[in-house]
Amino acid sequence: MTNTTLTPLRILAALVLAAAFGGFAATALRDALLPVHATPAAPAPSTALAPAAAQLPAVVGGQPIPSLAPMLARVTPAVVSVHTKQRVRIHNPFANDPMFRRMFPNVPQERIEQSLGSGVIVDAARGLVLTNHHVIEGADEVSVTLSDGRTMEAEFVGSDPDTDVAVMKIPADGLQEIPLADSGALRVGDFVVAVGNPFGIGQTVTSGIVSAVGRSGLRGLGYQNFIQTDASINPGNSGGALVNLDGQLVGINTASFNPRGSMAGNIGLGFAIPANLARNVLSQLVSTGEVRRGTLGLDTQAVTPRLASGLELGVQRGALVTRVLAGSA
């Protein structure tokens, strides 16, 4: 009876000894097979509490990840902030009353209005800066702040309200310029980058594509042949640079569209003056101080079905000459 009871205990003890011997044997065999310079691997640390860091790979397919930083390093020093001051007389119905002026001699008669915009250095040797006409319109004082922090007074060269292009001149000392591209080569879908000073917060870069070219039909604007882009253009970006991926100036940012008003911010409808147009205006303003355009000396009216019927024109489309200016072409 004793032998029957001890048999299972003996079997269990034998199994424990066999397992222990097997573990020692496996360890000895592993150590014997390792190279001389190798050491057993340490147990892997637990990753339960280690935060996961998401990083872009430095290289994909053997090529480095593309970045706009090298191009922008050349472009941003040529984009400036424009600050304007305008003295506006305060309308006071009692200002002409001598008694009122004696009693309140310190009542201000005028106030200073300030505005912000952007500009682009296009000729470093001569210190020429392109901006928008509406940025400096009516200003008594205009100053320019460079990307390196220098601020200097700007000299007015000329402006053209119809194209909303203006030219200023600053001291040509250590300036950097942006070369002008052929904006006629732009295609819908080309990548572009806008650089300016939106809301006065400082130089800001946004990117997008060309949404349309030759855009017109916008209310409240003059001559229209705009580049439309979805790169963010907000108040303060006016006069700033729209560049291609080669760092060439393709346009001067001039307006954005938002049904809630320009101060509502960007909704992806921005407009820029093509560089080819800005180049032509720049050349004329620098050489003559004004822009002259060719004209036929004709006033016309679009032909509508009602007009065609009333005049028995026999056509439904076209233009009707309504006036010929004397002495014109």
Side-chain angles (χ1 to χ4, degrees):
M1 186 172 181
T2 304
N3 290 340
T4 303
T5 304
L6 293 177
T7 298
L9 294 176
R10 290 174 180 171
I11 293 174
L12 180 61
L15 290 174
V16 170
L17 290 174
F21 178 77
F24 287 125
T27 302
L29 180 61
R30 181 199 64 186
D31 293 342
L33 294 177
L34 280 174
V36 175
H37 60 275
T39 56
S46 172
T47 58
L49 299 178
Q55 296 181 348
L56 286 173
V59 176
V60 173
Q63 298 295 325
I65 293 292
S67 173
L68 298 177
M71 178 271 287
L72 290 171
R74 304 190 309 270
V75 166
T76 51
V79 181
V80 302
S81 297
V82 179
H83 310 264
T84 67
K85 292 182 180 181
Q86 182 179 10
R87 294 179 178 86
V88 179
R89 186 170 181 81
I90 298 175
H91 177 68
N92 188 332
F94 302 103
N96 296 325
D97 187 343
M99 179 71 70
F100 179 85
R101 289 201 302 268
R102 285 197 299 270
M103 295 178 61
F104 304 98
N106 297 323
V107 173
Q109 300 298 313
E110 63 178 20
R111 68 176 185 273
I112 302 297
E113 291 186 351
Q114 303 186 55
S115 63
L116 295 171
S118 304
V120 185
I121 301 172
V122 293
D123 190 328
R126 293 188 289 176
L128 297 180
V129 179
L130 277 176
T131 187
N132 285 143
H133 167 78
H134 76 262
V135 169
I136 63 172
E137 181 181 11
D140 297 305
E141 299 177 21
V142 180
S143 62
V144 166
T145 301
L146 305 182
S147 62
D148 59 11
R150 289 183 292 165
T151 299
M152 56 194 71
E153 295 298 318
E155 175 188 347
F156 177 76
V157 175
S159 67
D160 179 38
D162 290 336
T163 57
D164 199 23
V165 174
V167 181
M168 303 180 296
K169 188 175 183 179
I170 59 176
D173 181 19
L175 302 181
Q176 191 163 328
E177 67 184 51
I178 298 180
L180 274 68
D182 177 12
S183 57
L186 274 182
R187 301 171 301 169
V188 174
D190 285 347
F191 287 101
V192 287
V193 178
V195 187
N197 180 24
F199 299 105
I201 64 174
Q203 194 174 82
T204 301
V205 176
T206 56
S207 65
I209 63 170
V210 174
S211 304
V213 294
R215 182 67 79 200
S216 61
L218 306 176
R219 292 184 178 180
L221 301 175
Y223 181 79
Q224 299 185 22
N225 182 30
F226 294 120
I227 301 166
Q228 182 181 326
T229 178
D230 65 348
S232 295
I233 296 176
N234 290 292
N237 272 114
S238 293
L242 188 71
V243 300
N244 58 23
L245 297 188
D246 291 326
Q248 299 171 328
L249 187 73
V250 297
I252 300 293
N253 301 323
T254 188
S256 61
F257 176 80
N258 193 319
R260 297 169 55 194
S262 62
M263 295 305 292
N266 168 71
I267 59 171
L269 292 173
F271 303 94
I273 300 164
N276 289 354
L277 176 58
R279 180 190 288 111
N280 179 269
V281 174
L282 168 69
S283 176
Q284 294 192 59
L285 291 177
V286 170
S287 60
T288 67
E290 62 179 352
V291 176
R292 296 180 179 179
R293 297 180 176 87
T295 176
L296 291 176
L298 301 177
D299 286 346
T300 63
Q301 180 179 351
V303 174
T304 63
R306 182 177 179 181
L307 183 62
S309 175
L311 297 178
E312 299 180 353
L313 297 178
V315 295
Q316 297 296 316
R317 300 177 61 186
L320 177 68
V321 175
T322 59
R323 184 174 64 152
V324 178
L325 302 179
S328 66

